[in-house]
Amino acid sequence: YTILSKVHSDRNVYPSAGVLFVHVLEREYFKGEFPPYPKPGEISNDPITFNTNLMGYPDRPGWLRYIQRTPYSDGVLYGSPTVENVGKPTIIEITAYNRRTFETARHNLIINIMSAEDFPLPYQAEFFIRNMNVEEMLASEVLGDFLGAVKNVWQPERLNAINITSALDRGGRVPLPINDMKEGVYVMVGADVPFSSCLREVENPQNQLRCSQEMEPVITCDKKFRTQFHIDWCKISLVDNTKQVSTFQEVIRGEGILPDGGEYKPPSDTLKSRDYYSDFLITLAVPSAIALVLFLILAYIMCCRREGVEKRNMQTPDIQLVHHSAIQKSTKELRDMSKNREIAWPLSTLPVFHPVTGEIVPPLHTDAYDNTSMPLMQTQQ
């Protein structure tokens, strides 16, 4: 049920909904669309890249992916068509770019999705393969080997590859470029029979405990995959679509559950207009008025209730005022007397010896010199 086709102009393909679809864009076909090298007989190996988009739109449909590692490798369109697109032809525009000559070539791929109701696949298992990249897994030989190994383990009558997804699209990290590490790929397969006991071994409590401790679980059929595929059994997903899961759950009332308040009645669409003038008065006007009153009271106390000098003198006893006046008068007289006294300069402030010859220097002024206005300390010359 996996469709592999080469590129041709306006090629029609007919994939089934819910089944993996793979379309290879081969570089060899597009080499004939571009001019050859100047030297005759030389093998052309131009770098070619592809751009794919839905006709009339800038990108592809949500179910369709595209990958091309290098300009020297083939491009691959892959994905799982959805049931919503059954019966609607999907036209994909494929544009090839020659990176040497900058020439372009365009072809159309018409995808006619068919219904897959005749082949229901109720049991689906998704494997995570650690040692593969998505373009390696999309190769028909590798995918066929993997489906063969799954068929030996599962033993179904019908087995289809449903979808392939790169680990990078699931939030995985780009591996380090050492030891040829791979990014990993998720492969979902579907069958018409229940899961085998080997696949159910992952659900054992012992294996669940080992997975929680980041240890490798013990799977008896792992040796059938180990030669070519390294499967992470802790990431396997088993889905049984035959079990109808009831969405209704009975609510058990207890702590934290509010009692039933009846049917919810939303407010009317026509709401009445509301006057916010009263809210304005309460929120701004009233606090502002109170603050203004307090300011006026404080200003009256600080400015209008001050006690001046006259009022202070009127409340002071006369004897205390006389004493204060006498003290001020005595202080003034003492200051005047200190200005008129005559005091000679102390000898310690006068130069005694000449700074160069060492001779005794006479005083700078005579005894009759008025020294009352001179400072006590004289600046040395």
Side-chain angles (χ1 to χ4, degrees), residues 115-150:
S115 177
E117 296 179 356
D118 298 336
F119 303 96
L121 300 174
Y123 303 96
Q124 299 177 1
E126 187 178 50
F127 300 86
F128 177 63
I129 305 174
R130 293 179 293 186
N131 65 327
M132 287 287 175
N133 290 333
V134 61
E135 72 277 5
E136 298 175 348
M137 198 67 198
L138 290 173
S140 58
E141 301 83 2
V142 179
L143 183 59
D145 295 341
F146 179 75
L147 293 178
V150 174

Side-chain angles (χ1 to χ4, degrees), residues 55-117:
M55 178 174 289
Y57 295 89
D59 203 356
R60 298 173 299 275
W63 61 269
L64 188 62
R65 294 188 179 94
Y66 168 75
I67 186 173
Q68 184 185 13
R69 287 291 177 178
T70 64
Y72 298 95
S73 60
D74 296 334
V76 181
L77 286 169
Y78 67 100
S80 181
T82 59
V83 182
E84 290 78 6
N85 296 325
V86 173
K88 302 177 182 179
T90 303
I91 302 177
I92 304 297
E93 295 180 343
I94 302 173
T95 305
Y97 295 89
N98 190 324
R99 296 302 178 182
R100 181 182 64 87
T101 61
F102 300 101
E103 294 282 339
T104 60
R106 176 168 293 181
H107 298 268
N108 293 332
L109 178 66
I110 304 175
I111 303 176
N112 303 282
I113 303 176
M114 301 183 301
S115 177
E117 296 179 356

Side-chain angles (χ1 to χ4, degrees), residues 142-293:
V142 179
L143 183 59
D145 295 341
F146 179 75
L147 293 178
V150 174
K151 190 172 184 179
N152 293 333
V153 173
W154 202 337
Q155 297 296 329
E157 295 183 3
R158 295 193 303 269
L159 181 69
N160 296 338
I162 298 178
N163 199 4
I164 293 180
T165 309
S166 174
L168 302 181
D169 297 334
R170 297 286 189 89
R173 302 176 64 180
V174 178
L176 297 175
I178 55 175
N179 298 330
D180 197 18
M181 297 182 65
K182 306 293 183 178
E183 62 189 28
V185 60
Y186 289 88
V187 181
M188 178 177 287
V189 297
D192 57 344
V193 297
F195 304 107
S196 62
S197 58
C198 173
L199 300 179
R200 291 288 186 182
E201 291 179 0
V202 184
E203 301 176 352
N204 295 338
Q206 295 82 2
N207 289 331
Q208 292 293 326
L209 179 61
R210 294 178 65 89
C211 289
S212 63
Q213 298 176 352
E214 298 183 357
M215 298 175 60
E216 189 72 20
V218 179
I219 306 297
T220 57
C221 59
D222 181 58
K223 58 184 179 180
K224 296 184 179 180
F225 297 90
R226 183 64 65 175
T227 56
Q228 189 176 358
F229 307 99
H230 295 172
I231 298 178
D232 190 349
W233 293 99
C234 293
K235 294 184 179 181
I236 189 174
S237 176
L238 304 178
V239 180
D240 188 357
N241 294 326
T242 59
K243 297 180 181 180
Q244 299 294 333
V245 180
S246 178
T247 58
F248 174 76
Q249 295 181 358
E250 183 180 359
V251 179
I252 302 176
R253 299 188 180 276
E255 296 181 358
I257 300 179
L258 299 177
D260 189 7
E263 184 179 358
Y264 172 71
K265 296 180 180 180
S268 177
D269 295 337
T270 59
L271 299 178
K272 297 181 179 179
S273 61
R274 181 179 176 182
D275 187 11
Y276 291 94
Y277 182 72
S278 59
D279 295 341
F280 169 76
L281 293 179
I282 296 174
T283 306
L284 297 178
V286 174
S288 300
I290 295 175
L292 180 60
V293 171

Side-chain angles (χ1 to χ4, degrees), residues 337-356:
M337 292 172 63
S338 63
K339 291 180 180 180
N340 298 327
R341 62 184 179 179
E342 296 180 0
I343 301 176
W345 287 353
L347 297 177
S348 60
T349 61
L350 299 177
V352 180
F353 301 96
H354 193 275
V356 179

